[in-house]
Amino acid sequence: MTTKEIGRREFIKVGATAGAGLLIGFRLLDAAESNGLPGIAGADEFSPNAYLRIGTDGAITLFADHVELGQGVMTALPMIVADELDADWSMVRVQRMSDDPSAWPRSIMTVGSQSVRGSWSPLRKAGATAREMLLAAGAQQFGVDRAQCRTDKGFVVHAASGRKVGYGAVASLASTLPVPQNPTLKDPKDFHIIGTHAPRVDIPSKVNGSAQFGIDVRLPGMLYATVIRPPVWGGKIASVDAARAKAVTGVKDVVQFQNGVAVLATDTWSALKGRRALSVQWVDGPNASLTSADIRRQFTELAASAGTVMGSPAGDAASALASASKRISADYELPYAAHATMEPMNCTAHVRPDGVDVWAPTQAPTSFQRYAAQLAGVSPNAVRLHVTMVGGGFGRRSRTDFLDDAVRLSKMTGAPVKVMWTREDDMQHDAYRPFGIHRLEGAIGADGWPVAWTHRIVTQNALGPGDSAGGAMDLPYAIPNRRVELVAPTIAVPVSPWRSVGHSQNGFVTEGFLDELAAAAGKDPVAFRRRLLADAPRHLAAMELAVSKSDWGKPMPSGSGRGIAVHAMAGSYVAQIAEVTVANDAIRVNKVVCGVDCGVVINPNTLASQIEGGIIYGLTCALKNEITIKDGHAEQQNFNTYPMLRMSEAPVVEVYTVPSTEAPGGIGEPGVPPIAAAVANAVFAATGKRLRKLPLRLT
């Protein structure tokens, strides 16, 4: 199986060629869309954004518009359609929809673990439509009734005679037949591709080095640019002395523009040397004295004030707290966190009078294409966006700041310009996961079970209030009186979505505080959750699976402990049990056992790798990472001060899945939210110390 890219104009031309086989156009839906049937490509009544072609050679090609971020989406999507089509997997190919914006009838953004969730139903219907048309064509060629035939891994088979014909041989005939509007979908028990360990289609090119990431783009006559930005948020340029920088061999120019001062050179090394020789004076502005302590103080004060009620409150939490026999309160704190993608931000643009070409590792092709058009002063249809491989997304590559640099500089110079952010640029000019103060109160009734829960979140909105409160306002536990509020201050520090958005914060807070309630009630954390999840069967199933695969309840050596956390997001339900050892005030996570209910598992290999990756990403942040603010800027600059979890520090991770026929949930993000809480709860079990602040530290 292979992956490449095709332009829509080329595709329609091929589809219109005589003998090209069967071509079906359909819509891959956004997560919010729930209905829609496939139809023939080119029909006037709808705008297809995906295509399925069965060629006369038997090759089956899915054209889809999602971005491969390393999450395996360009393998999962063809697996779905191929299984419903009853195809031979070895004959299946996948190609990206094009860099031609006329191929984009909807907004394309690969975020929020939505790709498979939003595509599951349309892909199945498209595959089933093609299967029924091929079946009808095969029966017609055999001269028999359709009911006497079946499909089998790329063939139409006449049951009585044993005759069979390949899909390619009847594809052109099938294209002339009526399109079924309500094709019969397979029973999940008949899946033969979905649920198998299909190799990822993006891996071979990454292994052999042929994959082109944004950082790999090279063009004739290209200039390489690095940009110095104001060190303080909101700062401006006072003066620039470019003489020494321009004297550096290879430096072609130094330009001042909206985003800072750019050094343009014939290669990256010369641009960086010129940057070091550059002298820039700044006007720091009103944020020059901003510190983490200031932000913490402001947010803590705001935690005493009422906020916007989120979700649907239950009962009367204030009265229940006032009359309860036991009350517990706690403040939790989470720092700013950088995305820290392995491939730093980069973009290449060539602005010409007749159009614009952009090469970018982006999660948001449509917004990039439209913003590039706005910057260049051209029609959106004049911009061709070439989506490269992406060296880590995590939400960071949905922002357009690195695109902004490249387009502006190319427009100014008239040459193709490749902008490279250094690691220091990326770390200090990221838009971070927000800082947060969380104030919680809970109450235990006379029977030893919780009767009240209040949670006030003080944090900047990275997307919107619903995202900031995600995983908090929809608490699954059966606590009769609940209220969640959000206070969203506006300050100078830029924030943006970070892998699992608000869930990454709220999972730590809610599961940590629930453990505090269990301890106050004198109950085992699993038994406590088991009763409170009685009306949340999928949460409960994930938890029971993790418990059954772990050694929960078995004694551990002194200084060791187990902790549990349960969380749901993106249609998936995850429970994690962490085993930790604490020695000399250092936390070592030895093992994580994870139970997952994500509905139908498309590719078990991808599921395991994504959950494992989410655990490592979340664990890195839980144990090591924080962005601190001093004098109006981030103090951390590189991995020496913002360290990653090393291989020698990584725990053993075991991932188990709940068998399910439910529609698939997302898997790229749900592994992140529970891990910090599972570790903190394990530390409490090992030491009796309750850790409420990230990163987790005992001193």
Side-chain angles (χ1 to χ4, degrees), residues 140-422:
Q140 185 172 316
Q141 180 162 310
F142 290 144
V144 300
D145 188 84
R146 174 178 174 163
Q148 299 176 10
C149 298
R150 60 182 174 84
T151 56
D152 180 31
K153 297 182 181 178
F155 290 90
V156 179
V157 180
H158 180 228
S161 67
R163 287 180 294 169
K164 65 180 183 179
V165 61
Y167 284 172
V170 295
S172 295
L173 175 59
S175 69
T176 68
L177 301 180
V179 181
Q181 293 304 302
N182 292 290
T184 301
L185 301 180
K186 272 188 174 183
D187 188 314
K189 68 178 176 58
D190 296 325
F191 289 154
H192 70 279
I193 296 174
I194 293 171
T196 64
H197 299 276
R200 285 251 303 270
V201 302
D202 57 311
I203 297 299
S205 65
K206 292 176 178 177
V207 172
N208 65 28
S210 63
Q212 185 184 59
F213 290 82
I215 207 168
D216 299 323
V217 172
R218 303 286 189 276
L219 299 174
M222 184 172 75
L223 294 175
Y224 296 75
T226 182
V227 179
I228 304 178
R229 302 165 205 285
V232 174
W233 295 297
K236 299 181 182 299
I237 299 169
S239 64
V240 179
D241 182 351
R244 291 179 58 225
K246 289 182 176 181
V248 172
T249 301
V251 170
K252 307 299 288 185
D253 203 359
V254 175
V255 300
Q256 181 177 328
F257 71 124
Q258 290 91 328
N259 301 341
V261 183
V263 178
L264 296 116
T266 55
D267 57 81
T268 301
W269 179 241
S270 296
L272 292 173
K273 287 178 66 178
R275 172 180 175 149
R276 287 195 291 271
L278 194 64
S279 177
V280 183
Q281 301 299 316
W282 307 97
V283 177
D284 290 336
N287 301 311
S289 61
L290 185 66
T291 68
S292 290
D294 297 331
I295 297 168
R296 182 178 298 106
R297 187 181 310 111
Q298 177 187 352
F299 281 35
T300 302
E301 290 172 357
L302 289 170
S305 306
T308 302
V309 176
M310 303 302 299
S312 300
D316 186 341
S319 296
L321 282 167
S323 61
S325 58
K326 183 178 289 188
R327 294 176 62 169
I328 303 95
S329 62
D331 280 7
Y332 281 69
E333 179 181 324
L334 299 99
Y336 289 106
H339 294 82
T341 63
M342 288 297 103
E343 179 191 17
M345 299 304 105
N346 66 86
C347 183
T348 302
H350 191 191
V351 179
R352 307 174 309 279
D354 62 339
V356 180
D357 278 270
V358 174
W359 292 261
T362 173
Q363 295 177 245
T366 303
S367 62
F368 268 56
Q369 179 256 342
R370 291 171 181 167
Y371 188 50
Q374 178 185 329
L375 292 173
V378 300
S379 163
N381 283 342
V383 177
R384 292 181 65 88
L385 180 67
H386 310 266
V387 180
T388 65
M389 286 284 190
V390 179
F394 315 131
R396 177 65 180 92
R397 298 192 193 271
S398 60
R399 289 179 59 83
T400 56
D401 46 2
F402 53 101
L403 165 75
D404 192 301
D405 290 343
V407 175
R408 288 186 190 275
L409 291 172
S410 179
K411 185 178 180 180
M412 293 171 70
T413 62
V417 174
K418 177 179 181 179
V419 171
M420 288 287 300
W421 288 38
T422 66

Side-chain angles (χ1 to χ4, degrees), residues 50-113:
Y51 299 87
L52 176 63
R53 180 178 68 192
I54 295 89
T56 55
D57 59 353
I60 296 165
T61 307
L62 172 67
F63 300 88
D65 61 8
H66 291 284
V67 178
E68 178 60 69
L69 305 170
Q71 81 281 39
V73 66
M74 295 303 275
T75 306
L77 298 183
M79 288 178 73
I80 297 168
V81 73
D83 205 325
E84 202 62 59
L85 178 58
D86 212 5
D88 175 357
W89 179 243
S90 68
M91 298 297 291
V92 178
R93 306 289 183 267
V94 61
Q95 297 182 12
R96 276 203 73 254
M97 284 297 287
S98 73
D99 53 21
D100 179 351
S102 67
W104 301 346
R106 67 164 185 155
S107 178
I108 303 169
M109 182 175 285
T110 302
V111 295
S113 297

